Structure formats: C-alpha cells, structure tokens
C-alpha cells in the first residue's frame, strides 16, 4: 500500500512538472475589416455593432454619414473599374442598402428595420385611431434619393382584443396617411 501511495505522488509530481511549460507572450493585433469591393458584384457588406440599442436603426442615414468614411473607401478601391457600387450595412434589427457613384456621392438608399420604436407622431396616430390596441410588431421602410428620404412608411401589427389588424402608415412630408392592409 505504501508503494502505491508513493507511486501516485510520484506520478502527480511528474505530471505537474511537465505541465509547467513556458509560453511566449501572445501578441494580439487589431486589423480593421477589409474595405475592398467584391469584384463580381461591386458590393461591400458591413456588419454594424451597435454601442447603444437602436443607434443604427433610429436614423440609419445619419449613422452611415457619421461612421462610414466614403473618401477612404473610394481611395482603397481606386484600382477597380466601376461606375457605381453598393454598400450593405447590417444589424440585428435590419439593414441599410446604399448605392454610390464612382465619386462617392450617394445615389439612393433603402432601409428596412423590424420592431423598432415608432416615432412619436406615428404612436399618437395609432392611439387616436385604434384606442386601446396593442402593438404586436412593427416594420419600417424608407427610400431616399441622395441624402433626402422621399418615401417612408410603417407596417404595424395591432391587436385590439377582438382581432388582429395590419395597418400601413405612410409619412409624406411630415404628414401621415393611414391605409389598412
């Protein structure tokens, strides 16, 4: 029995000694994501990590203008031959697709977001028309020509206790129009 205990201690001592291998210091370097266009499709896809909830979805065009350096992007892709290109910004709540010309000017954009907080005027309109209804889900859509949004609408799923409704609310020059779906 004494030999067995001594053997186990000896084996544990040897195993512990072998596990004490010194490693070289690991160096971690941050390299930003590639800003090169895909030559076949002339597109770039960027995943948006939001620091605050809804930061990207609240106003995607302003977020893109503040956080996407188009001048350096055009410089990085100067060797490619393209007339226009597309950049897709993706987040967990939706996406923004922006088309640019070769000089980096925004031609148009399309946005689609789900379950985002509705603007105050849209919330008031729903409260007036469907008093007591519960919002089950929302989808917002916006299209722009250049940096100006020319078409914006919301699809809203409501439950008023009796039935579930789907409502479309169009925003035109700060005026609302309701169309049932």
């Amino acid at each position: 029995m004494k030999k067995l205990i001594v053997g186990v201690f000896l084996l544990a001592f040897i195993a512990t000694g072998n596990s004490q291998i010194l490693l070289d210091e690991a160096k971690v370097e941050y390299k930003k994501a590639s800003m090169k266009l895909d030559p076949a499709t002339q597109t770039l896809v960027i995943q948006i990590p939001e620091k605050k909830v809804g930061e990207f979805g609240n106003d995607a065009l302003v977020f893109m203008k503040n956080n996407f350096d188009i001048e350096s992007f055009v410089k990085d892709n100067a060797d490619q031959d393209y007339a226009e290109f597309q950049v897709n910004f993706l987040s967990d709540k939706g996406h923004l697709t922006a088309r640019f010309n070769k000089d980096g000017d925004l031609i148009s954009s399309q946005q689609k977001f789900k379950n985002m907080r509705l603007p105050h005027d849209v919330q008031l309109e729903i409260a007036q028309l469907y008093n007591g209804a519960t919002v089950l889900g929302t989808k917002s859509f916006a299209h722009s020509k250049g940096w100006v949004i020319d078409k914006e609408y919301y699809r809203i799923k409501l439950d008023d206790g009796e039935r579930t409704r789907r409502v479309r609310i169009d925003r035109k020059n700060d005026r609302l129009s309701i169309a049932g779906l």
Side-chain angles (χ1 to χ4, degrees):
M1 184 72 166
K2 185 177 179 182
K3 289 182 181 180
L4 179 65
I5 293 174
V6 170
V8 169
F9 281 123
L10 184 60
L11 182 62
F13 180 73
I14 292 171
T16 308
N18 286 337
S19 68
Q20 299 299 323
I21 299 171
L22 295 175
L23 298 175
D24 291 334
E25 181 181 343
K27 293 183 181 180
V28 179
E29 295 180 16
Y30 173 73
K31 184 177 178 184
K32 73 178 191 177
S34 173
M35 295 297 274
K36 288 287 191 179
L37 284 173
D38 180 12
T41 61
Q42 299 298 334
T43 62
L44 171 70
V45 177
I46 300 174
Q47 186 69 35
I48 302 292
E50 294 185 79
K51 295 176 185 163
K52 297 180 216 166
V53 175
E55 179 183 30
F56 176 57
N58 287 340
D59 197 344
L61 287 177
V62 170
F63 184 88
M64 178 181 67
K65 194 173 203 176
N66 293 338
N67 295 299
F68 181 61
D69 187 9
I70 190 66
E71 287 85 20
S72 65
F73 177 78
V74 170
K75 285 180 190 175
D76 289 346
N77 293 286
D79 59 335
Q80 294 191 19
D81 184 34
Y82 56 84
E84 65 180 45
F85 59 91
Q86 179 174 307
V87 181
N88 298 326
F89 298 90
L90 306 174
S91 76
D92 294 337
K93 293 282 190 172
H95 70 275
L96 166 67
T97 302
R99 283 186 28 232
F100 294 91
N101 65 13
K102 65 181 177 181
D103 298 325
D105 298 325
L106 182 65
I107 299 170
S108 66
S109 71
Q110 296 179 340
Q111 309 174 36
K112 180 180 178 184
F113 292 96
K114 62 180 179 179
N115 295 326
M116 294 297 294
R117 186 180 176 130
L118 294 171
H120 189 64
D121 57 339
V122 175
Q123 290 177 8
L124 287 175
E125 191 73 20
I126 291 171
Q128 288 174 352
L129 295 174
Y130 303 100
N131 192 13
T134 304
V135 175
L136 300 177
T138 64
K139 291 183 182 177
S140 63
F141 303 88
H143 304 275
S144 75
K145 300 282 187 215
W147 291 100
V148 178
I149 293 178
D150 63 344
K151 184 176 182 183
E152 183 177 10
Y153 61 95
Y154 299 89
R155 289 190 180 150
I156 304 163
K157 187 174 182 182
L158 298 171
D159 181 19
D160 63 0
E162 298 173 12
R163 64 184 181 139
T164 301
R165 303 174 193 244
R166 287 181 176 78
V167 177
R168 175 179 166 151
I169 299 179
D170 291 323
R171 291 180 90 189
K172 296 178 185 174
N173 300 331
D174 297 331
R175 291 178 293 148
L176 298 175
S177 66
I178 305 277
L181 295 177

